[in-house]
Amino acid sequence: MATLYSRIAVIYAVILFSTYLSTGIAALGINYGQVANNLPPPERVLELLRSLKVTKARIYDTNPQVLAAFANSNVELIVTVENDMLGQLRDPQQALQWVSAHIKPYLPATRITGIQVGNEVLTDPDSTLKANLVPAMVSIHGALVQLGLDSYVQVSSPNSLAVLTQSYPPSAGSFDSEIYSVVYQFLQFLSTTNSPYWINAYPYFAYKDDPSRISLDYVLFNPNTGMVDPYTKLRYDNMLYAQVDAVTFAMARMGFEGIEVRVSETGWPSKGDPDEVGATLENAALYNKNLLRRQLKNEGTPLRPNARLEVYVFALFNEDMKPGPTSERNYGLFQPDGTMAYNVGLSALSTPSSTSSATISLASSATKFSAGGVAI
């Protein structure tokens, strides 16, 4: 009987997920990583996204199988230029050839809306890589212009919060002086092309590194007293919004006030090593459930309350071949076989947030997706 009830609960949650997403979470996407040897083919991944009504996804390359599979779907796709390609693509002719081979053939059937040039390049120890970033972005954008595709595809590059030397309080946000010159060129490009600044923002890391001083409720979007920026008097009830606004303030400090900040990655691991404090199934479910609740409101941050914040959740699947600590392989909402890693508690979205894990219906094996959609 318990198994039957858990299956019914999961089906109900999935139906609600589809309903909520189809009625207005236009600013929510998901990262579709592929560092695994057991993932379903792209065609089945697309079926999963369709069943969840997710219409935005990001991949970490330009995998032709994915690009072809996503043709004639309603899913907007952001693709990525691998870091080791930047040196080659700073050359305009090489960039033109790359766009002609990796982007142009798939448009407009596949809705490629963005090209991320590298990943977390500004904090990479390789100085040559940093030097190649903006020239590669300029060349790729130039190729899009030459091919008449620049009005459809934006060019940017996601960075971690490590680009900031100070992020607390948000109004004190400032970039690392050691990368000031390349950051300035980077922001100049974004401003000129009207492209967003993407950040990989993980409140989990801040909590893991200092759990005795950082409130778990604050990082999980649970009810809490929050913090008030002493200079702006803006109140923050969660760390993610504070991180986003810190980047906005840092850009303004360099003279760039009109660039939109978007979150290219955020998430919470459902499992970790003994020293990875907070990496639990319950916390992962709470973080993503509460984040989705905020996305349903299409709300902005305290600094920009009327500009909805676009967020891409990390990640769609657990990826068994990712190096590093256990947490790295356990950010997925789903297992590779299509079962839920955990239920994000979408059936509770109509009720106030709760700190109790009892409100989360955890289901690790009750639901799979099939060729016909969601099935048990």
Side-chain angles (χ1 to χ4, degrees), residues 41-61:
E43 292 80 9
R44 293 192 64 208
V45 174
L46 179 59
E47 291 168 8
L48 174 60
L49 295 179
R50 280 173 165 163
S51 73
L52 299 174
K53 304 295 191 223
V54 172
T55 59
K56 294 175 186 269
R58 174 185 174 221
I59 60 175
Y60 292 83
D61 52 22

Side-chain angles (χ1 to χ4, degrees), residues 205-345:
F205 292 136
Y207 176 75
K208 177 182 73 72
D209 292 341
D210 200 358
S212 63
R213 295 182 59 189
I214 295 176
S215 164
L216 182 60
D217 286 334
Y218 181 64
V219 294
L220 289 179
F221 294 89
N222 278 332
N224 66 94
T225 56
M227 60 84 65
V228 176
D229 190 304
Y231 302 103
T232 63
K233 307 305 179 185
L234 295 173
R235 183 180 180 276
Y236 292 85
D237 66 358
N238 70 85
M239 182 176 283
L240 180 66
Y241 287 7
Q243 292 174 333
V244 169
D245 281 356
V247 173
T248 303
F249 275 109
M251 292 192 295
R253 193 161 269 114
M254 293 184 69
F256 298 93
E257 298 183 5
I259 298 174
E260 178 187 0
V261 179
R262 298 179 184 174
V263 179
S264 41
E265 290 181 14
T266 194
W268 197 284
S270 59
K271 184 179 180 182
D273 294 319
D275 62 341
E276 294 187 289
V277 181
T280 68
L281 204 66
E282 292 81 5
N283 287 342
L286 279 168
Y287 183 82
N288 285 307
K289 180 199 74 170
N290 288 335
L291 173 62
L292 182 58
R293 187 196 305 275
R294 296 302 186 98
Q295 291 302 104
L296 278 167
K297 299 177 181 178
N298 283 324
E299 67 182 18
T301 66
L303 182 60
R304 292 177 172 174
N306 298 319
R308 71 183 185 189
L309 178 64
E310 186 157 323
V311 174
Y312 280 63
V313 174
F314 187 88
L316 185 57
F317 295 111
N318 284 334
E319 299 172 69
D320 67 342
M321 294 181 67
K322 293 197 73 174
T326 297
S327 61
E328 286 295 316
R329 294 175 288 282
N330 289 279
Y331 275 90
L333 299 181
F334 287 85
Q335 302 287 2
D337 67 355
T339 60
M340 287 181 175
Y342 53 86
N343 179 356
V344 296

